[in-house]
């Protein structure tokens, strides 16, 4: 059998493995996420939009769609709903008249912080499922191979936004920590 | 600040990273999967049930639900639809009267094989996104840390079913290969 044939088999096995794994992983994440946000009357898309707007300190609808892996129309429609609830506001930027931007209102900002305060009120199976790795490695795993695959699929700018959002996230957690307002 | 506080911050950052990553990965997988199965008038749940029944050489509804990460009622209802289409049949096993089992009919079996023959007719972003890693490692990545997390969340039996299904998958691909019927 040819080299190519072998590769087709290998490729099929590999991508089917990833399909199973990523479905199982995502379903666990989705369940954790839903139980965390349930008290706040938000769905995952809505919370994700708030999350992105918070961590990017404002974002264009197309960035929200790209980074949130949702259709532009989904990003726009849920942003509208969040605007109606007073959590988000739309704006144009002087340096970019073509795109619509969203940023959090004070109420939206407070909600995100409140939700972080209560993050550990619900169970996160992803966390308990990772503790053994944390003990083994001395820190949580980084899934660098998954990151590499995602970089190739979604592009460098996706990873750039990803890293920027987590830098801001870290910073905002440090601020909260300084105020020592994370409940023990 | 206490050790515990640091850990809470670290845990929150980690699990939010995984949430973003796993959503992006799953959305890519989902899109690939949907474009592959589209010509066969199946949704992902239906194809997943056929996939599991094929690779496990028959499975109980509760195994389908567990391994397919879907509700038992979802597994049952879609199995019923597949039965109506003549692709699946229900049975009881003599050694296990309590559980309902599903297995593929000849038509279901033929459909799965036909779909594999046409696997490479559609684009799989997961594959193209992994080629650079394959070149680097000499083989596709195994995501062993993801596997470890999934094992902790879903249990050893999930991984055991996982490995069994891929052993059978490999075997069935080798049979197809012997017949040299995979189109080049």
């Amino acid at each position: 059998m040819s080299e190519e044939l072998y590769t087709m088999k290998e490729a099929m096995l590999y991508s089917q493995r990833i399909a199973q794994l990523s479905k199982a992983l995502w379903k666990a994440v989705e369940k954790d996420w839903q139980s965390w946000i349930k008290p706040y009357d938000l769905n995952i898309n809505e919370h994700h939009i708030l999350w992105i707007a918070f961590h990017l300190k404002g974002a264009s609808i197309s960035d929200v769609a790209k980074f949130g892996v949702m259709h532009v129309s989904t990003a726009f429609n849920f942003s509208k709903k969040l605007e109606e609830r007073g959590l988000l506001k739309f704006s144009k930027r002087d340096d970019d008249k073509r795109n619509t931007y969203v940023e959090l209102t004070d109420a939206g900002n407070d909600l995100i912080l409140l939700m972080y305060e209560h993050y550990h009120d619900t169970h996160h199976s992803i966390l308990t499922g990772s503790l053994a790795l944390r003990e083994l490695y001395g820190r949580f795993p980084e899934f660098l191979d998954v990151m590499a695959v995602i970089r190739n699929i979604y592009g460098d700018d996706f990873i750039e936004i990803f890293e920027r959002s987590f830098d801001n996230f870290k910073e905002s957690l440090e601020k909260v920590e300084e105020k020592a307002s994370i409940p023990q």
Side-chain angles (χ1 to χ4, degrees), chain A residues 32-168:
Chain A
D32 291 354
W33 200 340
Q34 271 163 346
S35 63
W36 173 37
I37 67 182
K38 205 181 167 197
Y40 309 97
D41 190 26
L42 295 167
N43 64 39
I44 284 183
N45 280 322
E46 288 167 339
H47 180 252
H48 206 177
I49 293 167
L50 295 177
W51 192 98
I52 293 167
F54 180 82
H55 290 298
L56 294 181
K57 301 174 179 177
S60 69
I61 291 286
S62 63
D63 274 353
V64 169
K66 187 178 174 72
F67 187 51
V69 203
M70 53 182 97
H71 285 282
V72 172
S73 61
T74 307
F76 184 79
N77 293 336
F78 282 117
S79 295
K80 271 281 163 206
K81 287 195 180 178
L82 294 166
E83 187 197 26
E84 284 160 22
R85 284 175 64 178
L87 298 170
L88 204 70
K89 55 184 185 240
F90 284 80
S91 64
K92 290 275 177 188
R93 286 189 184 174
D94 284 342
D95 58 342
D96 179 11
K97 297 273 185 201
R98 284 179 316 165
N99 282 309
T100 303
Y101 283 77
V102 289
E103 56 183 312
L104 294 189
T105 61
D106 289 345
N109 215 61
D110 291 349
L111 179 63
I112 285 288
L113 292 174
L114 179 73
M115 290 177 73
Y116 279 130
E117 277 177 37
H118 291 279
Y119 189 78
H120 292 283
D121 289 1
T122 53
H123 179 69
H124 296 272
S125 61
I126 287 294
L127 278 184
T128 49
S130 304
L131 287 180
L133 283 174
R134 194 188 176 283
E135 274 182 38
L136 196 66
Y137 295 161
R139 57 179 179 165
F140 285 110
E142 296 189 8
F143 303 115
L144 291 175
D145 40 9
V146 176
M147 288 280 279
V149 173
I150 286 172
R151 179 190 292 274
N152 285 329
I153 295 174
Y154 292 98
D156 286 346
D157 51 339
F158 184 91
I159 298 293
E160 189 269 318
I161 298 178
F162 184 88
E163 294 303 353
R164 184 150 48 92
S165 73
F166 279 97
D167 288 346
N168 290 339

Side-chain angles (χ1 to χ4, degrees), chain A residues 13-42:
Chain A
L13 274 165
Y14 166 71
S15 68
Q16 298 271 290
R17 279 185 92 96
I18 300 316
Q20 304 290 321
L21 284 182
S22 77
K23 187 181 184 189
L25 189 67
W26 167 244
K27 291 289 167 187
V29 164
E30 194 182 31
K31 212 172 152 191
D32 291 354
W33 200 340
Q34 271 163 346
S35 63
W36 173 37
I37 67 182
K38 205 181 167 197
Y40 309 97
D41 190 26
L42 295 167

